[in-house]
Amino acid sequence: MKKNAIYAQSGGVTAVINASAAGVINACRDYQNQIGTLYAGENGILGVLTEDLIDTSFEPQELIEGLRYTPSGAFGSCRYKLKSLEVNRREYERLIEVFSAYDIGYFFYNGGNDSADTCLKVAQIAKELGYPIKAIHIPKTIDNDLVVTDNCPGFGSVAKYVATSIREAGYDLESMYKSSTKVFILEVMGRNAGWIAAACGLASEEAGQPPHIILFPEVEFDQEKFLAKVKESVETYGYCVIAASEGIKDKYGKELSASEHTIDDFGHHQLGGVAPVLAGIVKKYLGYKYHWAVADYLQRSARHIAAKVDVEQAYVAGYRGVELALQGRNAIMPYIKRVSQDPYLWEIDAIDLEHVANKEKFMPREFISPDGFHITQQCRDYIQPLINGEDYPPFINGLPAYVRLNKQKVAKKLAEFTIK
Amino acid sequence: MKKNAIYAQSGGVTAVINASAAGVINACRDYQNQIGTLYAGENGILGVLTEDLIDTSFEPQELIEGLRYTPSGAFGSCRYKLKSLEVNRREYERLIEVFSAYDIGYFFYNGGNDSADTCLKVAQIAKELGYPIKAIHIPKTIDNDLVVTDNCPGFGSVAKYVATSIREAGYDLESMYKSSTKVFILEVMGRNAGWIAAACGLASEEAGQPPHIILFPEVEFDQEKFLAKVKESVETYGYCVIAASEGIKDKYGKELSASEHTIDDFGHHQLGGVAPVLAGIVKKYLGYKYHWAVADYLQRSARHIAAKVDVEQAYVAGYRGVELALQGRNAIMPYIKRVSQDPYLWEIDAIDLEHVANKEKFMPREFISPDGFHITQQCRDYIQPLINGEDYPPFINGLPAYVRLNKQKVAKKLAEFTIK
């Protein structure tokens, strides 16, 4: 008796999470003699809870191929973390109720830390209730902060985007600093881990090339040292390009961007962004002409400049996830193992979720230069292969021709469930 | 007797101004029996005034080909507007002194409105002083605000970048608004003219597709109407994506971003950006979860996603500029004429600078929808062909392999000149 499957996307989307979806869908289609219908939760786990399910059988193969080059979460994602089993057992039991109603034997959950935890709990309660399921966590996060795996699908593409962007902005500054802007700040994502900021460092291949300063959340922000470094850069190279993690904190552990409660001339709250705060500091103490950019969602959805290796890893992680489930594996995460550095080679292995859930991987100290303002060669060696290769989407009328799925909904058969 | 030539880059750089430089250089090399050495002003007109000249003969042909795909101003650009002849005759006379010392017969000035004006004045004073020169203005500006020309080299690429970026961010919002961000604001350049914001509108090909709102500097910002439109979009589509020109103004003509003098918790000035101001308004009056991005220099240096047609037009404008000079034309600008809409065809013509200098082209009212929040079909028809085609730079180690020139300086032979 073939069991059906459910796939759901979770958390902040990436340029390649849909490539993982394509991998899961194609694997289910390739193994259709062993696996039944593949459903997808609309808007992630929320759709599974509320029985808002999409029957992926209605998506033609060309749209699935389109997922490989379409950013964001095609089935909808959500920021919703299931609480602990003790606090919210009701939700886990509901998941099992839905699984049971649709004869689900496989649960593929595509997300970051929180999702690994949820996936593990689903496996645990299913076991407790005697419901047979293979729960597989497909890794995804631009933050690159999952443990065990060498890197996370989604990171390579954002890394390529930010390194390209800061290189381009660096050329801009270099050509104009004599009479114009001397300090440029690019704010990138990374609340706790500085991997994305670190990736900006790849743009600097020789001494003096931008970025000149990288600010990591792992390194306490010291205003004096920062200003001295900016001054030194301007005096040495004529200008200073800075990559700043959104999550940089002062010595009290307070985020610099927490000055988001300023009131502007209109009486409105001026909101967020560490880049304008840093610009303010530079302006006040050094007086240099500055510019700043905040990439925000642009960086995690920039499929037009995704890394080919990232697209492939995302796809294969999804595809292998299905194969591992069919081999009887449960409560695991397929992860990326670096087999060789030069040439860069990787393969997929599997790890039990208990080794992954609720853990976070930060930048190791040896990846950060002694002064705390740049990356080391060791860090370059780690990140560089992850941005390799281009994998451009097709363009129509000058714009990337991303796809939208049909999202054929399944008729509900259970009692309504309210998210509390 | 062959005369020599000087080329200089002026004002804010673009993704394709170096393609114009390549056009000028290649034309001078192709016509070397009629034209002597091509010098370039280091950092634009400043380098011409201070006799900081680069001999372009020392640049190998492969670097000139590299200029075609390298953003920013390879010879250095500057923000320096020569004052009127009456106020600062000294600088114009210095230019003629430098021209004379280097036997310059051709002056190619690559810039926007201000440069057109400078170029015209150079032609005028040369005539007055009896110095024979052919002064040619090569158009360049991301702002697309030069008159006469159908469009400006530099605009197509920034248009392609912002339309791609807001489409990608739109997909992001679409997949997550149910449980996360409902309003996203992308701030783009455009202090007076809304062409770049208008280009964002290309991303929306069907009703309901992002961006849902475009804010132009040509349309007075009305907070009530804006909030009503945001609310309507969120209630209709579930979310709202906004493209905002940096230069939007209230009914008193005051820029919204002028609330740059807010003080944050650190006592620092919080600087600039209309996006956070708009986010603050949305937060205060509607309470929606928001995110915002400021593209800043990323947009004008994003050579990795330049429009092929833009690269070609920039190159040909430079090349034709040299040919026009050799035909004896003076005080003119080669400009782009749209010969046919479908298929899009263009050619280069020439216009006297007195018809171009000190004029600015704004978005015509018929390009803006009646409610002031979007573009019309007429506007789409105008902008769309300008973003056509991709022209990717080569990549090495996952990053665009942009070039840097040798910039061989010429030994000075004149008395020092101080910029006042």
Side-chain angles (χ1 to χ4, degrees), chain B residues 45-51 80 82 91 94-95 98 417 419:
Chain B
I45 201 76
L46 290 176
V48 184
L49 288 167
T50 59
E51 204 194 344
Y80 187 75
L82 271 72
E91 287 186 340
R94 168 67 174 189
L95 287 178
V98 173
F417 182 84
I419 307 287

Side-chain angles (χ1 to χ4, degrees), chain A residues 83-85 92 116-126 358:
Chain A
K83 297 198 183 63
S84 71
L85 276 167
Y92 293 94
D117 182 56
T118 299
C119 198
L120 177 58
K121 291 208 177 76
V122 166
Q124 287 166 343
I125 194 153
N358 301 315

Side-chain angles (χ1 to χ4, degrees), chain B residues 273-296:
Chain B
V274 76
V277 173
L278 291 169
I281 293 172
V282 167
K283 168 83 174 168
K284 181 172 180 181
Y285 295 100
L286 299 172
Y288 295 132
K289 181 169 168 25
Y290 62 84
H291 258 247
W292 53 267
V294 176
D296 195 60

Side-chain angles (χ1 to χ4, degrees), chain A residues 3-243:
Chain A
K3 290 280 189 180
N4 298 319
I6 282 188
Y7 166 79
Q9 302 181 317
S10 177
V13 294
T14 79
V16 302
I17 181 173
N18 285 333
S20 287
V24 169
I25 295 168
N26 280 341
C28 288
R29 290 180 180 191
D30 288 349
Y31 291 97
Q32 56 186 288
N33 54 335
Q34 295 174 66
I35 207 161
T37 302
L38 173 65
Y39 301 101
E42 191 180 44
N43 303 314
I45 201 75
L46 290 176
V48 184
L49 288 167
T50 58
E51 204 194 344
D52 287 296
L53 300 176
I54 293 158
D55 185 342
T56 68
S57 320
F58 290 91
E59 309 298 343
Q61 195 58 37
E62 63 263 30
L63 282 186
I64 305 308
E65 295 312 310
L67 287 184
R68 280 185 73 123
Y69 55 76
T70 296
S72 87
F75 295 104
S77 185
C78 68
R79 290 210 174 278
Y80 186 74
K81 187 183 179 178
L82 271 71
K83 297 198 183 63
S84 71
L85 276 167
E86 297 71 38
V87 175
N88 205 346
R89 189 175 179 90
R90 171 180 169 268
E91 286 185 341
Y92 293 94
E93 288 177 349
R94 168 66 174 189
L95 288 178
I96 302 300
E97 183 191 9
V98 174
F99 290 170
S100 178
Y102 289 87
D103 199 22
I104 302 298
Y106 311 95
F107 174 53
F108 303 106
Y109 202 33
N110 202 173
N113 285 310
D114 290 350
S115 325
D117 182 56
T118 299
C119 198
L120 177 58
K121 291 208 177 76
V122 166
Q124 287 166 343
I125 194 153
K127 190 179 176 192
E128 192 187 316
L129 299 176
Y131 185 85
I133 190 113
K134 307 300 173 206
I136 310 287
H137 179 246
I138 317 286
K140 168 243 68 170
T141 169
I142 60 163
D143 292 330
N144 203 41
D145 60 353
L146 290 169
V147 296
V148 181
T149 188
D150 184 63
N151 61 288
C152 303
F155 171 65
S157 294
V158 72
K160 189 183 186 83
Y161 172 87
V162 297
T164 297
S165 297
I166 207 158
R167 169 168 287 183
E168 291 178 330
Y171 267 78
D172 191 312
L173 270 274
E174 187 180 335
S175 67
M176 296 204 63
Y177 70 81
K178 279 272 173 64
S179 65
S180 185
T181 302
K182 291 193 170 37
V183 175
F184 175 76
I185 303 152
L186 172 62
E187 173 177 335
V188 300
M189 285 178 160
R191 194 59 76 184
N192 302 311
W195 294 106
I196 300 175
C200 291
L202 294 179
S204 167
E205 286 173 322
E206 287 173 36
Q209 287 182 359
H212 307 97
I213 296 177
I214 304 174
L215 300 174
F216 306 96
E218 289 92 344
V219 178
E220 171 198 314
F221 179 77
D222 179 320
Q223 185 167 304
E224 304 264 301
K225 284 189 194 157
F226 167 71
L227 287 167
K229 190 80 183 169
V230 172
K231 191 157 179 275
E232 181 198 318
S233 176
V234 172
E235 286 172 359
T236 310
Y237 310 115
Y239 65 113
C240 182
V241 173
I242 302 163

Side-chain angles (χ1 to χ4, degrees), chain A residues 11-13 43 46 70-73 76-79 160-161 163-165 167-169 171-176 178-181 184 186 189 202-203 205 209-210 223 250 254 256 258-260 262-273 276-277 279-281 283-285 290-298 300-305 384 387-390 392 395 397-404, chain B residues 11-13 43 46 70-73 76-79 160-161 163-165 167-169 171-176 178-181 184 186 189 202-203 205 209-210 223 250 254-256 258-259 262-273 276-277 279-281 283-285 290-298 300-305 384 387-390 392 395 397-404:
Chain A
V13 294
N43 303 314
L46 290 176
T70 296
S72 87
S77 185
C78 68
R79 290 210 174 278
K160 189 183 186 83
Y161 172 87
T164 297
S165 297
R167 169 168 287 183
E168 291 178 330
Y171 267 78
D172 191 312
L173 270 274
E174 187 180 335
S175 67
M176 296 204 63
K178 279 272 173 64
S179 65
S180 185
T181 302
F184 175 76
L186 172 62
M189 285 178 160
L202 294 179
E205 286 173 322
Q209 287 182 359
Q223 185 167 304
D250 64 18
K254 187 187 169 193
L256 262 73
S259 53
E260 62 180 52
T262 52
I263 308 288
D264 68 20
D265 292 356
F266 292 75
H268 306 306
H269 291 280
Q270 176 106 359
L271 295 148
V277 174
I281 293 171
K283 169 85 174 167
K284 182 171 180 182
Y285 295 100
Y290 62 85
H291 259 247
W292 53 266
V294 177
D296 197 60
Y297 288 165
L298 304 194
R300 73 180 195 188
S301 54
R303 181 60 185 80
H304 74 271
I305 188 154
Q384 196 288 312
I387 70 167
N388 270 344
E390 294 68 57
Y392 301 113
F395 278 68
N397 293 330
L399 289 176
Y402 298 135
V403 303
R404 283 186 170 86
Chain B
V13 295
N43 302 315
L46 290 176
T70 296
S72 86
S77 184
C78 68
R79 290 210 174 278
K160 189 181 187 85
Y161 172 86
T164 297
S165 297
R167 169 169 288 183
E168 291 177 331
Y171 267 77
D172 192 312
L173 271 274
E174 187 180 335
S175 66
M176 296 206 63
K178 279 269 171 67
S179 64
S180 186
T181 304
F184 175 77
L186 172 62
M189 285 178 159
L202 294 179
E205 286 173 322
Q209 286 181 359
Q223 184 167 303
D250 65 16
K254 187 185 169 194
E255 288 192 8
L256 262 71
S259 51
T262 51
I263 309 288
D264 67 20
D265 292 356
F266 293 74
H268 306 308
H269 290 279
Q270 175 105 3
L271 295 147
V277 173
I281 293 172
K283 168 83 174 168
K284 181 172 180 181
Y285 295 100
Y290 62 84
H291 258 247
W292 53 267
V294 176
D296 195 60
Y297 287 165
L298 304 195
R300 72 181 195 188
S301 55
R303 180 61 183 79
H304 74 272
I305 188 154
Q384 196 289 314
I387 69 167
N388 270 344
E390 293 69 58
Y392 301 113
F395 278 68
N397 293 330
L399 288 176
Y402 299 135
V403 302
R404 284 186 171 86

